[in-house]
């Protein structure tokens, strides 16, 4: 394996594809698996039961797969699973899961994780997300596809962020953020929907109009959450092209708990 720098320490039990590149002074533990095409820079630590997919770029000083920061954790063989084609920048910290939380912390595919971002135990992040510098997830957080977290966003444990959502700089999320919503503030409040992001991803005018109708139902008409769900569900019939977007919203809202609620 000529792609491993001579100063790197790779445990004999680690499973690295022959095409993986490892930089100087990097440490890789015995339970680590890395698929082909992934590049690991210098001064990186990858440990724990960590699986990393293809064609990822991991920059210097990242801490991947360390024991989590849950005081209940007793060293059980929980996992960190990272998909394909992710960019993981400097000083990021991703931790393994806990037995109580399902045992897995997961990062999907094609995500862009900027410097100092943090995935705590049992977080589940989808695909094509962007975490700006210092975005922080507490434990058990779920993040949907195409989410953008502004710099210094902090997310409370067990909070969910729906697909295509966005947060502003320094936002503090204490409640679930439904799909398509843009929020900001401390605590974060819903400001609008991510219309420009949807257009850039190829949403048709009809689909964008349906998202605007969902916004009115949730935030403009003074309806209860139950009433809002009924109004949003009806959009699937009036706008068949947006049926999948409506289902994305109603499925998310069906899991909202009274204790957590949604950003308002």
């Amino acid at each position: 394996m000529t792609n491993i720098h001579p100063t790197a320490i790779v445990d004999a039990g680690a499973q690295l594809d022959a095409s993986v590149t490892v930089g100087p002074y990097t440490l890789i533990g015995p339970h680590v698996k890395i698929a082909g095409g992934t590049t690991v820079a210098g001064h990186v630590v990858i440990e724990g039961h960590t699986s990393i997919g293809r064609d990822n770029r991991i920059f210097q000083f990242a801490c991947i797969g360390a024991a989590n920061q849950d005081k209940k954790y007793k060293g059980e063989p929980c996992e960190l699973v990272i998909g394909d084609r992710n960019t993981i920048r400097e000083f990021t910290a991703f931790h393994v899961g806990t037995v109580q939380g399902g045992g897995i912390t997961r990062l999907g595919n094609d995500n862009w994780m900027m410097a100092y971002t943090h995935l705590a135990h049992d977080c589940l992040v989808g695909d094509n997300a962007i975490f700006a510098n210092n975005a922080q997830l507490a434990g058990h957080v779920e993040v949907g596809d195409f989410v953008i977290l502004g710099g210094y966003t902090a997310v409370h444990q067990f909070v969910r962020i729906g697909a295509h959502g966005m947060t502003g700089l320094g936002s503090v999320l204490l409640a679930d953020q439904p799909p398509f919503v843009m929020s900001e503030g401390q605590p974060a409040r819903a400001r609008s929907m991510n219309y420009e992001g949807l257009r850039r991803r190829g949403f048709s005018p009809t689909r964008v109009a349906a998202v605007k109708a969902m916004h009115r139902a949730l935030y403009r008409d003074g309806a209860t959450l139950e009433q809002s769900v009924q109004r949003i569900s009806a959009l699937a019939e009036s706008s068949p092209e947006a049926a999948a977007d409506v289902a994305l919203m109603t499925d998310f809202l069906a899991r909202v708990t009274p204790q957590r609620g949604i950003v308002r």
Side-chain angles (χ1 to χ4, degrees):
M1 298 179 69
T2 57
N3 297 320
I4 298 179
H5 193 276
T7 62
I9 300 176
V10 180
D11 192 279
Q15 300 178 36
L16 275 62
D17 185 88
S19 63
V20 170
T21 299
V22 180
Y25 302 104
T26 283
L27 305 178
I28 297 179
H31 305 296
V32 173
K33 300 177 182 178
I34 306 179
T38 289
T39 299
V40 183
H43 298 277
V44 173
V45 177
I46 306 177
E47 54 187 318
H49 289 76
T50 297
S51 299
I52 300 174
R54 298 187 60 85
D55 300 319
N56 294 281
R57 293 191 304 160
I58 303 175
F59 284 70
Q60 54 270 22
F61 307 109
C63 177
I64 308 295
N68 60 64
Q69 299 177 114
D70 190 321
K71 294 177 71 175
K72 299 186 295 298
Y73 183 64
K74 304 301 181 185
E76 299 92 346
C78 296
E79 298 179 69
L80 169 66
V81 178
I82 295 174
D84 302 330
R85 299 176 303 278
N86 297 289
T87 297
I88 300 171
R89 296 298 306 227
E90 301 86 349
F91 299 101
T92 47
F94 302 165
H95 296 159
V96 298
T98 64
V99 172
Q100 297 83 359
I104 296 178
T105 303
R106 188 182 302 275
L107 178 68
N109 304 319
D110 301 296
N111 296 291
W112 188 266
M113 312 297 288
M114 297 187 194
Y116 292 95
T117 52
H118 177 225
L119 297 187
H121 58 87
D122 307 298
C123 287
L124 304 175
V125 178
D127 302 331
N128 296 289
I130 298 173
F131 285 28
N133 297 322
N134 280 286
Q136 309 285 311
L137 304 187
H140 309 279
V141 169
E142 297 180 25
V143 178
D145 299 340
F146 295 101
V147 166
I148 300 175
L149 298 186
Y152 295 91
T153 292
V155 185
H156 195 278
Q157 60 261 38
F158 293 101
V159 161
R160 297 179 301 131
I161 304 173
H164 304 284
M166 186 173 182
T167 66
L169 174 70
S171 297
V172 177
L173 272 174
L174 304 179
D176 288 350
Q177 178 171 307
F180 313 112
V181 170
M182 295 177 64
S183 72
E184 64 176 355
Q186 301 178 358
R189 296 184 180 276
R191 301 302 184 188
S192 184
M193 297 295 209
N194 188 17
Y195 301 121
E196 184 58 32
L198 299 180
R199 294 186 185 98
R200 291 180 181 180
R201 293 178 202 125
F203 275 56
S204 67
T206 299
R207 294 177 68 190
V208 172
V211 172
K212 289 182 178 179
M214 291 188 230
H215 181 252
R216 288 194 299 271
L218 275 175
Y219 296 112
R220 299 297 184 189
D221 292 344
T224 66
L225 185 58
E226 292 75 13
Q227 292 169 335
S228 297
V229 170
Q230 292 175 357
R231 296 180 186 182
I232 291 169
S233 299
L235 292 172
E237 294 184 8
S238 59
S239 300
E241 184 180 339
D245 306 318
V246 172
L248 182 67
M249 178 66 81
T250 55
D251 290 348
F252 184 96
L253 296 176
R255 295 178 54 201
V256 172
T257 64
Q259 295 80 12
R260 184 66 59 200
I262 65 171
V263 293
R264 288 293 189 180

